[in-house]
């Protein structure tokens, strides 16, 4: 039951555990392995109507000429 005094759900389940479960569930579906994921943006909120999750996946394009070197200046 949703507490009336909270706007954000600081209650279990923990957000990091939800993200990990979603990442594991998408193994072999959205990517070969969740080790390929390079960025996560996650929030947890109370459902207004129907509980659920929204997942948006974007492909990252890597410059084939990049050396991976970090240069200052």
């Amino acid at each position: 039951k949703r507490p009336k005094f909270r706007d954000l759900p600081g209650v279990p389940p923990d957000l990091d555990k939800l993200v990990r479960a979603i990442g594991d569930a998408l193994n072999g579906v959205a990517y070969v392995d969740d080790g390929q994921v390079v960025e996560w943006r996650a929030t947890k909120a109370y459902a207004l109507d129907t509980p659920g999750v929204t997942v948006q996946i974007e492909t990252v394009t890597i410059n084939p000429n990049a050396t991976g070197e970090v240069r200052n200046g």
Side-chain angles (χ1 to χ4, degrees):
K1 186 174 177 181
R2 178 183 171 190
K4 294 181 181 182
F5 58 89
R6 293 188 178 163
D7 291 330
L8 297 174
V11 295
D14 298 347
L15 182 59
D16 63 325
K17 291 179 181 164
L18 295 171
V19 168
R20 188 176 319 136
I22 292 166
D24 290 345
L26 291 173
N27 271 335
V29 177
Y31 36 74
V32 175
D33 183 80
D34 58 357
Q36 294 175 278
V37 176
V38 296
E39 182 177 356
W40 283 103
R41 294 181 193 184
T43 57
K44 183 171 78 167
Y46 287 112
L48 297 176
D49 294 317
T50 305
V53 64
T54 300
V55 176
Q56 180 177 337
I57 299 172
E58 297 179 10
T59 302
V60 176
T61 303
I62 299 173
N63 180 349
N65 298 321
T67 63
E69 243 178 79
V70 176
R71 296 179 186 229
N72 293 328

